[in-house]
Amino acid sequence: MAEPLVLALDTSTTVAVGLARGGEVLGTAGVADRRAHVEQLTPLVQRCLADAGLRPADVDQLVVGLGPGPFTGLRVGIVTAQVLASALRRPWRGVCSLDVLARQHVLEHRDADDVGRAFVVATDARRREVYWARYDADGTRVEGPRVSAPGEVPRLPVVGPAADLYPDLLDGVLGPRTLDAGVLAAHGPDLPDAGREPLYLRRPDAAEPTRRKSVLLPRGPR
């Protein structure tokens, strides 16, 4: 029996699509523009499948990164995964996007001198904050995900895109800086299940006010 074909999507930072069968990556596609989630994701899925000589109906399972990340970007990726899974009648599962970067780090540096060290994965949360999680040397998440100022991140080696954004505050080391959707497709089915809800970690910028402001002038004394 053939290994299942897995389609992976992540829009927590960039727009990334991956395709894998078993542990073999069959294709990846991505766009670095963080503002192009809506326009680029579906064409990337179509291109990734076409380049591998496959059709959407060939997909057996979908895996999507749940973040943490910005509200709009995450919503696009998750909704797209839900729509595809419903249309194709295929199962889908969500994983923490930071776990994917952690798996990349372990795979890329399994023979490095510092392979036995715990580490942190950190991504840009804007507002001079970072999303982060702490991992054992084998890539098991032991804390997080959280959002905080860079100075509040544990003093451990840091990988992920935020490592280069705050070099004076984070101990950046050699490691992945962008999420590899091929790794998400190949290893996503084995990563911890993060449920199906996006990991926003904080309210969207356009939050609804908790109290309506009155436009009426206060009454004076009668």
Side-chain angles (χ1 to χ4, degrees), residues 201-222:
L201 301 192
R202 67 186 180 202
R203 298 189 179 202
D205 292 334
E208 200 175 303
T210 56
R211 182 179 177 184
R212 293 183 180 274
K213 294 183 179 180
S214 174
V215 295
L216 299 177
L217 294 176
R219 290 185 179 181
R222 293 186 178 180

Side-chain angles (χ1 to χ4, degrees), residues 4 27 88 92 97 196:
L88 298 172
W92 73 277
S97 302
R196 296 192 170 191

